[in-house]
Amino acid sequence: MHSLNGQQQTKPKIALKQAIVQKLAQMAAKISLRYNLNLNAFIEYYKSDLVKQAKKNNPDYSLVELSCRTGIDRRYLNHYLNLQQTSIKYPKSKLVLNEIKRFCNKNRTQHIQKYGPFQSFESICESVVPGALTPPSIAKELVRLGNLIDKGDKYQLAVFSYMPEDNSNEQQFRILTTELNRLTNTAIYNFEQSDHTNKQFQRNVFSTQINPQNFNLIKHECTQVLNDAKEKVENILLQYEENISPDTYPAFGASFFLFGYENHQDKGNTKA
């Protein structure tokens, strides 16, 4: 009888694990199809990261223990431990635009001088991406994207929203994976914190009782609120920034995004 109870208790745990795997697979499938990812390459990198993360979490694990933990044949563990990871880098124009935004926020201005040894567009380019591209070529790209306006001897910061071009899968994928990684790290960190004062802010506010025909109006109102919150957070971060090169320290901040608007033309609802 005791053994039967144990089996009954195990079934919900197995079902939960299967549900988790299925959800992860669904997300991976969406991303894979959107960006035409190679299935075999995905599996290889997944195995590699699985082994590396297990080793990072348990540095004293032997190959046999790593094999048991990951389910990967120990004969292939060294291959996966040594598999080099490729990285998707920020476009250089994006890095420069970030620094221009910081400069404008700190100085409460929308303008920056084109040339000069200090606090100019030229000096920022030389500091952030030295020797990579010329300041005029970076400026030309930011003007083309609508982020800067040429004002003669100055540039005006027009719109601080670097969005990838429609045909740039690399830039789109970088933004997607950055957001997913940050959300994953925050959620796992919070799960592991017993002291609530150490948890990072993580909340979702939503409703399933709103007709999709109203989503556009709600999106507009919520975007205004989130833009205000974004500006406040930016100002707090700027107060603590040091006058050092970008990427000196790990990134710290907050993400803001709406979800569900992709259903605003839901065919299952009647339209007015």
Side-chain angles (χ1 to χ4, degrees):
M1 186 69 178
H2 178 73
S3 175
L4 181 59
N5 287 337
Q7 291 177 358
Q8 290 175 340
Q9 292 174 0
T10 301
K11 287 182 179 179
K13 293 182 180 180
I14 295 175
L16 176 60
K17 287 185 178 181
Q18 289 176 338
I20 293 172
V21 170
Q22 185 178 16
K23 283 294 182 183
L24 289 173
Q26 287 174 352
M27 289 187 287
K30 286 182 181 179
I31 297 171
S32 298
L33 291 173
R34 174 62 181 80
Y35 295 101
N36 300 311
L37 304 185
N38 181 277
L39 176 62
N40 291 330
F42 176 86
I43 292 174
E44 283 294 289
Y45 282 115
Y46 172 75
K47 289 180 179 179
S48 175
D49 279 300
L50 189 66
V51 172
K52 290 175 180 177
Q53 190 65 48
K55 185 66 175 177
K56 180 180 178 181
N57 294 344
N58 305 276
D60 297 329
Y61 265 13
S62 66
L63 291 182
V64 173
E65 289 171 317
L66 274 179
S67 179
C68 291
R69 183 69 180 88
T70 62
I72 296 174
D73 192 316
R74 63 189 180 94
R75 293 174 296 176
Y76 305 112
L77 289 178
N78 283 326
H79 164 73
Y80 290 122
L81 285 170
N82 296 323
L83 187 64
Q84 296 297 313
Q85 303 289 322
T86 57
S87 61
I88 301 177
K89 298 180 179 179
Y90 279 90
K92 293 177 174 59
S93 54
K94 161 69 172 176
L95 298 175
V96 171
L97 185 62
N98 281 341
E99 289 306 302
I100 293 173
K101 176 63 187 307
R102 290 192 180 97
F103 166 83
C104 289
N105 276 349
K106 286 182 177 179
N107 293 277
R108 298 183 179 278
T109 181
Q110 287 185 306
H111 298 86
I112 184 171
Q113 292 287 336
K114 286 185 178 181
Y115 308 107
F118 181 66
Q119 292 191 335
S120 68
F121 181 85
E122 181 182 53
S123 67
I124 286 178
C125 290
E126 292 174 352
S127 172
V128 176
V129 287
L133 295 171
T134 64
S137 64
I138 296 175
K140 184 177 181 180
E141 176 65 7
L142 291 175
V143 169
R144 185 185 71 82
L145 292 170
N147 298 127
L148 293 182
I149 300 173
D150 194 330
K151 293 290 185 178
D153 61 342
K154 299 178 181 179
Y155 290 116
Q156 178 182 331
L157 182 65
V159 180
F160 182 66
S161 59
Y162 187 96
M163 291 304 294
E165 298 181 49
D166 292 339
N167 62 351
S168 178
N169 282 346
E170 179 179 326
Q171 294 176 23
Q172 293 174 12
F173 191 66
R174 174 188 52 76
I175 292 175
L176 173 62
T177 53
T178 297
E179 290 295 321
L180 287 174
N181 190 51
R182 287 172 176 169
L183 178 59
T184 300
N185 289 341
T186 294
I188 291 177
Y189 174 84
N190 285 344
F191 292 152
E192 295 174 346
Q193 297 303 307
S194 57
D195 185 350
H196 286 276
T197 61
N198 285 333
K199 291 180 180 288
Q200 300 185 88
F201 188 88
Q202 179 192 352
R203 295 289 186 276
N204 284 295
V205 182
F206 64 95
S207 172
T208 57
Q209 297 168 277
I210 300 172
N211 193 310
Q213 68 180 357
N214 294 316
F215 283 6
N216 187 49
L217 294 174
I218 299 170
K219 179 172 75 73
H220 178 71
E221 292 185 35
C222 287
T223 298
Q224 288 183 315
V225 172
L226 292 177
N227 274 330
D228 291 341
K230 179 179 73 70
E231 292 295 330
K232 291 178 180 178
V233 171
E234 280 184 341
N235 288 332
I236 293 172
L237 296 177
L238 287 169
Q239 292 176 26
Y240 291 89
E241 277 194 349
E242 302 174 8
N243 189 24
I244 54 178
S245 300
D247 297 324
T248 299
Y249 301 129
F252 179 82
S255 285
F256 304 82
F257 67 93
L258 291 171
F259 60 89
Y261 185 68
E262 63 274 13
N263 302 311
H264 69 289
Q265 294 180 336
D266 192 337
K267 299 295 189 298
N269 292 274
T270 57
K271 306 294 182 181

